[in-house]
């Protein structure tokens, strides 16, 4: 069942348990992108890149978020 709020609560807990784990931040960034929270996604991506400057998923994700933010008709992937 799709429940992005519950997923975000779980990801918040992962980040709280190990704030140095870049992948926890990246997963939440992805969720926030998928739910249209582009600013939150970018904030999380910056946290990923502080920890792993070459994190390909975060670098690619940042470009996807920027593209969605400037697009006249943003496409939101299905959860």
């Amino acid at each position: 069942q799709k429940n992005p709020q519950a997923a975000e609560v779980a990801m918040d807990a992962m980040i709280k348990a190990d704030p140095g784990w870049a992948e926890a931040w990246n997963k939440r960034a992805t969720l926030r992108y998928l739910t249209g929270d582009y600013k939150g996604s970018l904030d999380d991506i910056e946290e990923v890149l502080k920890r792993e400057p070459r994190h390909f998923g975060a670098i690619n994700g940042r470009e996807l978020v920027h593209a969605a933010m400037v697009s006249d008709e943003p496409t939101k992937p299905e959860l």
Side-chain angles (χ1 to χ4, degrees):
Q1 192 170 9
K2 298 175 185 177
N3 188 341
Q5 293 82 14
E8 186 154 357
V9 168
M11 291 175 193
D12 291 345
M14 287 191 305
I15 290 168
K16 185 176 180 181
D18 188 356
W21 186 32
E23 201 55 38
W25 291 95
N26 191 60
K27 293 299 181 191
R28 191 173 72 178
T30 301
L31 174 67
R32 287 178 168 180
Y33 166 74
L34 291 172
T35 59
D37 178 6
Y38 300 136
K39 180 175 180 341
S41 182
L42 287 175
D43 290 344
D44 286 349
I45 288 168
E46 290 310 309
E47 293 296 329
V48 174
L49 295 174
K50 284 180 191 176
R51 290 156 179 80
E52 295 288 339
R54 296 184 193 186
H55 193 289
F56 179 80
I59 294 167
N60 186 58
R62 182 174 55 192
E63 298 311 312
L64 290 172
V65 173
H66 284 149
M69 291 173 78
V70 300
S71 174
D72 291 336
E73 297 180 28
T75 56
K76 191 186 305 183
E78 287 190 36
L79 294 175

